[in-house]
Amino acid sequence: MLPIQTKRLVLRVFNIGDANFVLELLNDPSWLRFIGDRGVRTSEQAMDWIQTRPIASQQQFGYSFYVVCDREQGIAMGICGLIKRDSLPCIDLGYAFLPRYTGQGYALEAAQAVVQHAEQDLHLTRLAAITDPDNERSNRLLNLLGFSLHEVRTLPGETRISNLYFRESKKNAPNDQGASDIHG
C-alpha cells in the first residue's frame, strides 16, 4: 500500500521502528481510559503488538491501522485505520492520537482520508466505529464523518459498554439510483 497523504499528514503502514511510539501511545492515560489496557509495557511487547496487530492485518486483509505522521517532519502523532473485528458486522474505523496532537483537527483529517480510502480503494460500502460513551471528542468526530449512532451495548468479548456507529457510503445511500442492499 502506498502511503495515504493529506494536506498535513502521511498515513503509512507500521514497521518495527515504531515500537517506542506504540509504547507511548498504548500507555497514554486517554488510551487506557477510553480504549483499554493492552498490557504493552516494554519495547519488545510493542514490537510484538506491531507484528501481530497492524502488520498481520495489513498482510491478511490489505488494510490495518496506519501510523499518522506529520507530513513535513515525519513525526508519529497517532494511529488511524481499519480493523476487522469478529464482533462487528463490517470493518471498523479506529483512531487514537497522543495528547499533544489532539484538538488540532488531525484526527478528523486522518479519518476522512481513511474513509475515502475505504470507499474508493477498498470498495467498502459500510463502516462501523465504536467509542466509549464518555469520549465526547470521538463521538463528535464520528458525527462529523457521517456516522450515525446505532446502539449502546457491550460487544462480545468486552466488559465495558460502547457506542456502536455505522456509516453508509454516500454513493450507495438509499437515495442513490440503483442502490442495493449494503453489506460490510
Side-chain angles (χ1 to χ4, degrees):
M1 181 199 115
L2 296 174
I4 299 170
Q5 296 190 33
T6 70
K7 182 178 178 183
R8 302 181 295 168
L9 307 172
V10 173
L11 286 73
R12 63 167 175 78
V13 175
F14 272 85
N15 63 62
I16 296 302
D18 296 315
N20 288 336
F21 160 69
V22 166
L23 190 60
E24 181 180 2
L25 182 66
L26 272 59
N27 287 288
D28 179 75
S30 62
W31 177 287
L32 295 171
R33 176 179 176 204
F34 292 124
I35 298 172
D37 190 349
R38 300 297 185 250
V40 176
R41 302 288 185 268
T42 67
S43 292
E44 292 77 21
Q45 290 172 329
M47 285 186 268
D48 183 60
W49 184 89
I50 291 167
Q51 290 176 323
T52 60
R53 301 289 180 110
I55 289 177
S57 176
Q58 188 67 39
Q59 290 172 345
Q60 183 176 3
F61 302 115
Y63 56 81
S64 64
F65 282 125
Y66 306 112
V67 180
V68 179
C69 300
D70 171 83
R71 189 169 175 163
E72 291 184 16
Q73 300 175 355
I75 297 169
M77 304 161 50
I79 63 173
C80 186
L82 303 168
I83 183 170
K84 172 72 176 107
R85 295 180 198 270
D86 292 336
S87 60
L88 295 177
C90 55
I91 307 305
D92 175 23
L93 171 73
Y95 47 86
F97 283 76
L98 293 169
R100 60 187 169 274
Y101 301 111
T102 60
Q104 300 170 59
Y106 295 127
L108 178 60
E109 189 173 332
Q112 286 172 327
V114 169
V115 167
Q116 182 177 352
H117 169 64
E119 291 178 354
Q120 293 180 1
D121 302 328
L122 302 175
H123 308 289
L124 299 176
T125 58
R126 188 178 194 209
L127 292 173
I130 57 173
T131 64
D132 183 295
D134 294 332
N135 191 337
E136 293 176 15
R137 281 183 155 179
S138 282
N139 292 312
R140 198 168 38 250
L141 176 67
L142 290 172
N143 286 317
L144 288 172
L145 291 168
F147 282 79
S148 298
L149 181 62
H150 178 69
E151 67 181 317
V152 179
R153 70 175 187 167
T154 302
L155 297 172
E158 299 289 330
T159 58
R160 56 209 263 153
I161 61 169
S162 295
N163 286 350
L164 175 59
Y165 290 84
F166 290 108
R167 182 184 191 281
E168 308 293 335
S169 172
K170 297 223 186 295
K171 67 181 178 183
N172 292 319
N175 293 338
D176 288 354
Q177 279 188 331
S180 60
D181 287 342
I182 298 173
H183 301 283

